Every structure is written in C-alpha cells, then in structure tokens.
C-alpha cells in the first residue's frame, strides 16, 4: 500500500465518521425540549405576550406561590380563568398543562405534587380577569 492509498482511506474514514455524527445528532435531538414546534407563530404574536406581562406588572398582580409537601398553591389577585403550564427542561414528556378557574375567595390554583418529580420546572401562568389578559413566568425548584 503506498501513501496515496493511505491518504484516500484516511479521508474516506473521516468522511464516514462526519456523516455518522450528523445522522446521530439529527436522530437523537429530534424531540429536543428546548425547541418549540410553533416557534415562528409565537414570534408573530409576541406583542400579545408582552402586553399580558405588562398588564401583570402594572396591576401588581404577581401571583403568590407556596410549595407544600403535598401540593403547589398559587394565589391570584382576582378571580380568573387560567391556563397553567409546568415544563420540565430535562424531559419534554413530563410537561403538564392545566386549565380552569380559580377556587374560593383567595382565588387559588392547586396542583398536586404527587405526580411532579423533584427538580427544576418552568412555570407559565396565563389568566384572564376583568377583561384583561395576564402572564407570569418563573422557574421553580421542587
């Protein structure tokens, strides 16, 4: 075997390695939790999201969050219909979505912790109260 054949074999092996790595990366990260399916649509409607966050800040309507051993208790300022999303950064399959209306005179949202694994969660609450939309985002560690 001369040096020309060795160079060609080396280049061929290197190209096969690069192609295999590209295929592996696309196959492994197909369901990446940090990439949203409707990324562009959310970008177009960003103004509504921004306005809802500003409504929350202007009305001083930041929710009060208490983490107990058995449940997650969120208290809103007024009675509202809400959409609560708990996202797990480490596993997209564990993401949870709740919808409903607040409970009682304290305007509570109750979430059982029995099905929530310990670790970091992204909390996203959207609610509508008195004809205005509100949005609150934060990180929780359970």
């Amino acid at each position: 075997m001369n040096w020309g054949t060795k160079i060609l074999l080396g280049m061929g092996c290197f190209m096969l390695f690069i192609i295999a790595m590209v295929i592996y990366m696309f196959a492994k990260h197909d369901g990446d939790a940090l990439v949203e399916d409707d990324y562009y649509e959310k970008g177009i409607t960003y103004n509504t999201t921004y306005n809802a966050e500003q409504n929350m800040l202007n009305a001083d309507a930041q929710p009060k969050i208490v983490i107990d051993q058995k449940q997650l208790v969120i208290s809103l300022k007024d009675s509202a219909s809400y959409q609560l999303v708990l996202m797990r950064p480490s596993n997209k399959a564990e993401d949870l979505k709740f919808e409903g209306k607040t409970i009682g005179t304290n305007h509570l949202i109750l979430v059982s912790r029995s099905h929530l694994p310990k670790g970091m969660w992204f909390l996203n609450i959207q609610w509508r109260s008195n004809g205005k939309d509100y949005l609150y985002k934060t990180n929780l560690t359970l």
Side-chain angles (χ1 to χ4, degrees):
M1 215 190 285
N2 63 15
W3 62 271
T5 307
K6 292 178 186 177
I7 289 176
L8 285 177
L9 283 175
M11 285 177 48
C13 289
F14 180 71
M15 285 192 281
L16 286 175
F17 172 74
I18 295 297
I19 291 170
M21 289 302 294
V22 168
I23 291 170
Y24 172 75
M25 293 302 288
F26 277 116
K28 179 170 177 42
H29 296 292
D30 187 36
D32 196 352
L34 298 178
V35 177
E36 297 185 22
D37 295 331
D38 54 353
Y39 175 79
Y40 292 109
E41 289 81 6
K42 286 188 177 186
I44 292 170
T45 61
Y46 180 74
N47 283 344
T48 57
T49 303
Y50 177 78
N51 291 337
E53 287 177 345
Q54 288 303 311
N55 286 341
M56 189 266 308
L57 293 173
N58 293 339
D60 194 29
Q62 183 172 352
K64 293 177 180 75
I65 301 171
V66 178
I67 302 171
D68 287 343
Q69 292 295 327
K70 296 183 180 181
Q71 62 186 356
L72 176 66
V73 180
I74 303 167
S75 176
L76 299 179
K77 187 175 180 180
D78 294 318
S79 178
S81 59
Y82 66 88
Q83 181 182 19
L84 173 79
V85 179
L86 286 166
M87 293 183 288
R88 183 88 164 159
S90 62
N91 187 356
K92 188 176 184 178
E94 293 178 352
D95 291 355
L96 300 171
K97 188 180 283 190
F98 303 98
E99 292 185 14
K101 294 190 178 194
T102 55
I103 302 169
T105 57
N106 292 333
H107 317 295
L108 299 177
I109 301 170
L110 304 173
V111 178
S112 174
R113 285 193 54 195
S114 62
H115 55 278
L116 297 176
K118 291 183 179 181
M120 186 173 160
W121 290 85
F122 297 138
L123 174 72
N124 185 349
I125 307 172
Q126 295 177 332
W127 71 95
R128 184 164 183 82
S129 178
N130 300 326
K132 286 187 177 181
D133 292 325
Y134 299 92
L135 175 65
Y136 179 72
K137 296 179 181 180
T138 190
N139 298 337
L140 295 176
T141 303
L142 302 178

